[in-house]
């Protein structure tokens, strides 16, 4: 759907795919997600034993998301967290294509004609990292799909409600289209969710009063026995008001989607603010700029302050109206429900079980790049198990 220009075709695809992303459907995978949260926390616990061995949190998050994605989509975890490496090379392949995809998303008038040209497709593209990355993702998808179909263990998987056919109809997608949607979903599920988790942790530990308030809320919930064991349920995380304020503030302050994601005006055009905007006009907005609008988010919009989400419901609704953290309107990311399920359960458990602080590794400073999504590397953290 992401790359579909026609709003009619986009709406058709969304009607087919969106039901798979409803909260009712994604809850089918909550118990399976619990096992990955436990495995992730166990891996951190092992590393926390030696204070001289901090870990690159950005890598571990990607491995965790890789494992959960392949489990819910293909019924097979690649055990990246256990192995502490990118088994299958999916993370590397995604990063190989992100630079090109970011340019195409931001400057389609320049890059779309180029990538559609015979010269590019026949002679140039095959020599790029992006081509090799796409090829590898497709090969991996085909291999894991075949394994799933041959497996005797018939687990439910994320897109199992989408029937495929040789030609698209209003209720189906072709097998090729399902593969494309799965790979796009993987891109969002890995790097898109990682682009939220890393700044969430970084913002919390960089602000001691916020960190103390979050720890106190989770500790009180633990003491009051309102968090399930060994992993809190999604509903329980939603009932932690300060934690949810931190979630909303991270989405505002460091939205996972960094690019302006331009849109084309549909026929015949639109009237907006006294101006006639003809069809095919490219329009876009920057999440970074909009989320720092002081008229909407307050005079301290540049600051990370979760308390702005704890004033009153009316103010929250107004701020959410202008939030572009998962896109906007009909093009909003349908996978946001699964993203919330993943990062809320994981983050509550991380701060429930561990004390976290930044680790200084000479020559390996935190690296933050604003590509199609925010990208983080060298997020070195030290964990200590809480007793």
């Amino acid at each position: 759907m992401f790359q579909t220009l026609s709003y009619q075709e986009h709406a058709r695809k969304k009607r087919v795919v969106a039901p798979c992303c409803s909260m009712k459907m994604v809850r089918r995978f909550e118990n399976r997600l619990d096992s990955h949260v436990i495995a992730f926390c166990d891996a951190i616990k092992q590393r926390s034993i030696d204070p001289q061995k901090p870990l690159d949190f950005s890598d571990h998050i990607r491995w965790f998301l890789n494992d959960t994605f392949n489990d819910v989509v293909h019924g097979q975890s690649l055990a990246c967290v256990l192995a502490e490496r990118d088994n299958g090379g999916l993370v590397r392949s995604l990063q190989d294509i992100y630079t090109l995809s970011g340019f195409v998303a931001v400057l389609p008038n320049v890059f779309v004609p180029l990538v559609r040209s015979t010269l590019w497709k026949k002679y140039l593209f095959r020599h790029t990292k992006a081509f090799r990355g796409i090829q590898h993702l497709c090969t991996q998808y085909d291999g894991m799909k075949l394994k799933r179909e041959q497996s005797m263990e018939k687990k439910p998987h994320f897109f199992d409600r989408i029937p495929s056919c040789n030609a698209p109809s209003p209720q189906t997608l072709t097998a090729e289209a399902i593969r494309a949607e799965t790979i796009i979903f993987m891109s969002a599920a890995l790097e898109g969710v990682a682009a939220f988790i890393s700044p969430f942790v970084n913002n919390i530990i960089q602000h001691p009063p916020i960190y103390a308030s979050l720890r106190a809320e989770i500790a009180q919930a633990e003491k009051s026995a309102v968090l399930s064991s060994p992993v809190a349920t999604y509903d329980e995380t939603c009932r932690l008001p300060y934690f949810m304020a931190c979630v909303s503030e991270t989405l505002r302050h460091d939205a996972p989607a960094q690019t302006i994601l331009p849109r084309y005006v549909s026929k015949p055009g639109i009237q907006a603010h006294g101006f006639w905007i003809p069809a095919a006009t490219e329009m876009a907005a920057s999440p970074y700029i909009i989320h720092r609008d002081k008229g909407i988010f307050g005079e301290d919009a540049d600051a990370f302050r979760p308390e702005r989400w704890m004033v009153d419901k009316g103010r929250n609704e107004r701020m959410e109206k202008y939030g572009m953290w998962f896109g906007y309107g009909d093009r909003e990311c349908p996978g946001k429900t699964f993203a919330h399920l993943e990062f809320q359960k994981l983050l509550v458990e991380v701060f429930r079980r561990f004390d976290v602080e930044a680790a200084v590794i000479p020559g390996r400073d935190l690296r933050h790049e604003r590509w199609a999504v925010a990208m983080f590397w060298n997020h070195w953290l030290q964990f200590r198990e809480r007793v």
Side-chain angles (χ1 to χ4, degrees):
M1 294 185 292
F2 179 78
Q3 71 277 21
T4 303
L5 290 180
S6 164
Y7 76 88
Q8 296 99 330
E9 179 62 7
H10 178 269
R12 184 192 73 81
K13 289 182 176 179
K14 188 172 183 178
R15 284 194 296 270
V16 177
V17 174
C20 301
C21 303
S22 70
M23 183 54 72
K24 179 181 177 180
M25 287 294 103
V26 301
R27 282 180 186 275
R28 296 183 297 159
F29 306 106
E30 185 165 4
N31 289 338
R32 277 157 67 178
L33 181 58
D34 287 351
S35 66
H36 295 292
V37 171
I38 292 169
F40 182 84
C41 291
D42 285 347
I44 291 180
K45 180 179 177 180
Q46 289 300 314
R47 291 292 293 268
S48 70
I49 294 172
D50 187 348
Q52 302 304 314
K53 287 187 177 180
L55 58 83
D56 186 346
F57 190 65
S58 55
D59 278 345
H60 281 72
I61 284 298
R62 290 184 177 101
W63 298 333
F64 163 79
L65 295 170
N66 199 351
D67 285 345
T68 58
F69 168 83
N70 283 288
D71 187 359
V72 302
V73 172
H74 297 295
Q76 311 159 58
S77 170
L78 296 180
C80 298
V81 167
L82 182 63
E84 293 193 334
R85 63 173 180 266
D86 178 21
N87 285 340
L90 298 180
V91 173
R92 176 61 183 271
S93 293
L94 282 173
Q95 293 186 4
D96 284 345
I97 69 175
Y98 256 120
T99 302
L100 178 62
S101 63
F103 280 124
V104 173
V106 175
L107 298 171
N109 288 338
V110 175
F111 285 95
V112 170
L114 172 64
V115 299
R116 287 178 175 172
S117 68
T118 301
L119 176 65
W120 174 263
K121 290 190 288 188
K122 194 170 183 180
Y123 300 106
L124 300 179
F125 185 43
R126 66 181 62 253
H127 299 293
T128 66
K129 287 197 302 182
F131 174 81
R132 292 190 292 272
I134 292 171
Q135 223 178 19
H136 181 67
L137 292 177
C138 291
T139 300
Q140 284 287 102
Y141 170 86
D142 292 340
M144 297 193 76
K145 179 175 179 288
L146 181 62
K147 285 182 181 180
R148 186 183 73 233
E149 292 170 346
Q150 294 175 340
S151 173
M152 299 299 291
E153 186 180 10
K154 300 301 181 183
K155 295 180 179 179
H157 63 91
F158 203 89
F159 294 114
D160 59 7
R161 303 301 174 94
I162 300 179
S164 65
C165 62
N166 293 328
S169 73
Q171 293 80 34
T172 65
L173 296 177
T174 64
E176 187 67 23
I178 292 175
R179 180 171 74 168
E181 295 302 331
T182 303
I183 291 174
I184 291 292
F185 178 74
M186 176 175 61
S187 170
L190 270 64
E191 294 296 351
V193 179
F196 170 84
I197 294 175
S198 278
F200 181 98
V201 173
N202 195 52
N203 283 322
I204 297 301
I205 65 176
Q206 296 297 327
H207 296 83
I210 296 173
Y211 187 13
S213 296
L214 179 62
R215 281 186 56 183
E217 179 178 71
I218 294 175
Q220 181 59 44
E222 177 85 355
K223 183 179 179 181
S224 302
V226 296
L227 297 180
S228 297
S229 183
V231 178
T233 68
Y234 170 74
D235 288 337
E236 289 166 353
T237 69
C238 291
R239 291 194 286 267
L240 298 172
Y242 195 76
F243 170 74
M244 292 307 298
C246 291
V247 167
S248 295
E249 184 68 348
T250 301
L251 288 170
R252 180 198 71 84
H253 191 267
D254 294 284
Q258 298 288 304
T259 181
I260 59 175
L261 294 176
R263 302 286 184 254
Y264 290 111
V265 175
S266 301
K267 294 179 181 179
I270 59 172
Q271 188 79 27
H273 301 286
F275 294 93
W276 174 253
I277 305 174
T281 301
E282 183 181 309
M283 300 180 67
S286 166
Y288 183 92
I289 294 173
I290 288 177
H291 294 169
R292 283 160 176 74
D293 188 320
K294 295 179 180 180
I296 299 168
F297 298 101
E299 288 299 315
D300 61 348
D302 290 326
F304 182 84
R305 191 174 67 84
E307 289 77 10
R308 79 178 74 248
W309 296 92
M310 304 185 74
V311 177
D312 62 69
K313 183 179 179 181
R315 187 186 183 198
N316 286 0
E317 290 175 349
R318 183 168 186 268
M319 292 191 293
E320 288 169 354
K321 177 182 177 181
Y322 294 95
M324 299 179 64
W325 24 89
F326 288 104
Y328 202 85
D330 289 340
R331 300 275 176 159
E332 186 179 46
C333 176
K336 68 176 186 177
T337 51
F338 186 69
H340 273 277
L341 186 74
E342 282 188 302
F343 63 61
Q344 287 181 210
K345 289 171 68 71
L346 179 70
L347 288 167
V348 165
E349 289 306 317
V350 167
F351 285 99
R352 179 186 186 180
R353 301 177 186 216
F354 301 99
D355 293 324
V356 190
E357 62 182 26
V360 178
I361 308 294
R364 305 186 75 175
D365 297 334
L366 176 64
R367 179 184 166 200
H368 176 196
E369 299 286 347
R370 299 183 186 277
W371 293 359
V373 297
M375 305 290 288
F376 291 84
W377 296 271
N378 294 333
H379 194 183
W380 292 95
L381 299 176
Q382 182 68 58
F383 293 85
R384 289 189 300 275
E385 187 179 14
R386 300 179 69 180
V387 294

